């Protein structure tokens, strides 16, 4: 009998502690531990790897559980992952959306279940922006503009430019192109002669650059690549075609990864516009605030800087990604 009473007490205790644990997560009163779903785009670039690492290590540092899902560049995989996170009733979701459109139904689903969605790195287009909590990202339009302005200042106002675009439909590709075109629009002799997607990867950047070099009727003076990895691929293609990258054909890209700094020190890349992927700290601040019902700014802008060969050697040691 005594054993039975003890058993009942133990059971009641277990049930209550289980409930109050759940309560803490939902009410966020006593528990600091959260379970967060992170839907990442993939691993197409060194920038992306650095971003994943930043979010993973920050989750660990803060003692949160991170459920990680790699979408392999497919929006449908991201939507599946988000729905799975929602079904598991995670405390919050971090989403790096591969493309801008098509998110409404799944975001509505998250909102219905009261799960905050923190967007990192890329933006979405939705009619109702209450469907997500915040967007933490650099300003892609500004990055494109800075790349264009660097060309105007350092190369001049007459040049044939080829453009290696990022993933079609992604805010990173759309906005960088927009900013770049805005910057060069007053100079009719600065012409984008060819433009094609290299999907943000080094291999595709090389392949597209090879095709540009073969098919171009005009001399190619400058490559504008939407990210460093594609520029690094293009450098290989340029060398294999017998030209000197950085000299015969100048290259300007975006990201500021270590490989870009090495290429600048070697004189092969001319300029990179930084796009900081180390978003973990800011993302988890936003997650914790949202979960505990505090106000979160709708847009958190991470600052960009421009680096070129004139400073690459001095700063390369201090680079963190
Ligand atoms: O969305 C950010 C972009 O995505 C980075 O510039 C690129 O390297 C990445 O893959």
């Amino acid at each position: 009998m005594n054993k039975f009473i003890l058993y009942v007490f133990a059971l009641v205790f277990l049930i209550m502690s289980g409930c109050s644990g759940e309560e803490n997560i939902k009410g966020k009163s006593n528990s600091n531990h959260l379970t967060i779903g992170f839907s990442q785009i993939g691993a197409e670039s060194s920038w992306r790897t650095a971003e994943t690492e930043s979010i993973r290590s920050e989750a660990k540092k803060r003692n949160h559980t991170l459920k990680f899902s790699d979408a392999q560049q497919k929006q449908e995989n991201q939507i599946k992952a988000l729905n799975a996170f929602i079904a598991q009733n995670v405390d919050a979701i971090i989403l790096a959306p591969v493309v801008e459109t098509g998110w409404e139904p799944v975001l509505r689903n998250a909102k219905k279940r009261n799960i905050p969605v923190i967007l990192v790195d890329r933006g979405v287009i939705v009619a109702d922006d209450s469907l997500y909590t915040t967007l933490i990202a650099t300003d892609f339009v500004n990055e494109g503009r800075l790349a264009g302005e660097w060309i105007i200042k350092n190369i001049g106002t007459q040049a044939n430019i080829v453009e290696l675009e990022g993933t079609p439909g992604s805010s990173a590709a759309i906005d960088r192109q927009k900013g770049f075109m805005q910057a060069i629009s007053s100079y009719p002799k600065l012409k984008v002669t060819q433009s094609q997607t290299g999907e943000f990867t080094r291999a595709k950047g090389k392949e597209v650059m090879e095709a540009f070099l073969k098919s171009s009727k005009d001399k190619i003076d400058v490559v504008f690549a939407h990210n460093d990895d594609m520029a690094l691929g293009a450098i290989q293609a340029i060398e294999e075609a017998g030209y000197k990258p950085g000299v015969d054909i100048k290259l300007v890209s975006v990201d500021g990864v270590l490989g870009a700094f090495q290429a600048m020190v070697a004189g092969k890349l001319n300029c990179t516009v930084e796009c900081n992927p180390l978003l973990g700290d800011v993302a988890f601040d936003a997650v914790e605030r949202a979960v505990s019902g505090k106000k979160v700014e709708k847009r958190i802008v991470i600052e960009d800087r421009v680096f070129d060969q004139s400073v690459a050697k001095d700063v390369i040691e201090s680079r963190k990604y």
Side-chain angles (χ1 to χ4, degrees):
M1 184 66 175
N2 275 353
K3 259 191 186 167
F4 178 73
I5 291 171
L6 266 178
Y7 173 77
V8 171
F9 268 119
L11 199 65
V12 168
F13 175 77
L14 274 175
I15 291 169
M16 285 184 62
S17 57
C19 287
S20 71
E22 187 71 1
E23 199 81 290
N24 288 342
I25 289 172
K26 299 246 190 283
K28 313 309 163 207
S29 47
N30 305 318
S31 174
N32 292 325
H33 172 265
L34 302 173
T35 299
I36 293 134
F38 173 32
S39 170
Q40 177 57 292
I41 292 167
E44 72 281 4
S45 61
S46 12
W47 187 98
R48 181 75 45 209
T49 311
E51 188 199 44
T52 299
E53 177 46 32
S54 169
I55 293 193
R56 278 196 149 133
S57 60
E58 196 61 30
K60 202 166 170 201
K61 193 167 132 197
R62 298 187 188 213
N63 204 22
H64 296 318
T65 298
L66 191 74
K67 291 173 181 282
F68 178 77
S69 171
D70 176 338
Q72 313 216 335
Q73 311 301 314
K74 292 202 173 82
Q75 183 181 35
E76 64 197 74
N77 291 346
Q78 292 204 286
I79 292 173
K80 266 189 218 149
L82 258 58
N83 280 322
F85 294 150
I86 295 165
Q88 291 160 34
N89 201 19
V90 295
D91 296 299
I93 290 172
I94 299 177
L95 167 66
V98 60
V99 291
E100 279 187 325
T101 55
W103 297 102
E104 251 116 352
V106 73
L107 292 181
R108 234 178 282 123
N109 197 7
K111 191 179 173 189
K112 227 187 288 159
R113 299 286 293 272
N114 215 8
I115 299 175
V117 177
I118 313 299
L119 301 178
V120 289
D121 142 41
R122 295 185 189 170
V124 298
I125 296 175
V126 281
D128 169 10
D129 71 3
S130 78
L131 292 178
Y132 66 90
T133 303
T134 182
L135 165 63
I136 302 167
T138 56
D139 179 342
F140 294 145
V141 176
N142 190 44
E143 289 165 358
R145 196 179 301 126
L146 291 171
E149 285 168 2
W150 189 91
I151 291 172
I152 293 162
K153 196 163 164 223
N154 296 277
I155 298 177
T157 53
Q158 182 168 351
N160 291 328
I161 303 166
V162 295
E163 182 185 25
L164 293 167
E165 296 174 40
T167 304
S170 68
S171 62
I174 294 167
D175 289 350
R176 284 176 188 163
Q177 181 173 65
K178 187 168 158 194
F180 186 78
M181 296 313 287
Q182 278 172 4
I184 67 165
S185 64
S186 323
Y187 305 97
K189 290 186 176 161
L190 266 183
K191 285 182 288 195
V192 177
T193 54
Q194 297 189 86
S195 184
Q196 204 180 304
T197 180
E199 287 160 16
F200 281 131
T201 71
R202 190 184 285 220
K204 200 83 203 288
K206 179 171 187 267
E207 194 186 305
V208 174
M209 190 65 209
E210 282 166 355
F212 283 166
L213 286 162
K214 272 192 201 128
S215 66
S216 184
K217 284 179 230 91
D218 313 292
K219 181 185 176 297
I220 298 173
D221 301 306
V222 183
V223 176
F224 167 48
H226 289 189
N227 82 343
D228 289 339
D229 280 65
M230 292 190 293
L232 295 172
I235 287 172
Q236 268 178 280
I238 293 167
E239 283 178 328
E240 285 172 19
Y243 300 105
K244 271 183 129 184
V247 180
D248 299 331
I249 299 178
K250 308 254 187 347
L251 296 105
V252 179
S253 57
V254 184
D255 275 358
V257 298
L258 186 60
F261 278 83
Q262 288 162 341
M264 285 196 290
V265 171
K268 297 180 181 187
L269 178 75
N270 300 84
C271 170
T272 184
V273 179
E274 186 183 52
C275 170
N276 192 341
L278 308 179
L279 305 178
D281 187 22
V282 190
F284 281 96
D285 280 353
V287 164
E288 288 170 3
R289 287 185 69 83
V291 164
S292 57
K294 293 187 186 139
K295 190 178 167 351
V296 183
E297 292 301 317
K298 198 78 206 171
R299 175 75 167 99
I300 299 172
V301 183
I302 311 292
E303 292 302 317
D304 305 314
R305 286 178 294 171
V306 178
F307 297 95
D308 62 15
Q309 289 181 0
S310 67
V311 296
K313 214 169 158 194
D314 298 331
V315 299
I316 192 166
E317 293 299 326
S318 65
R319 298 302 297 165
K320 296 201 170 59
Y321 64 94

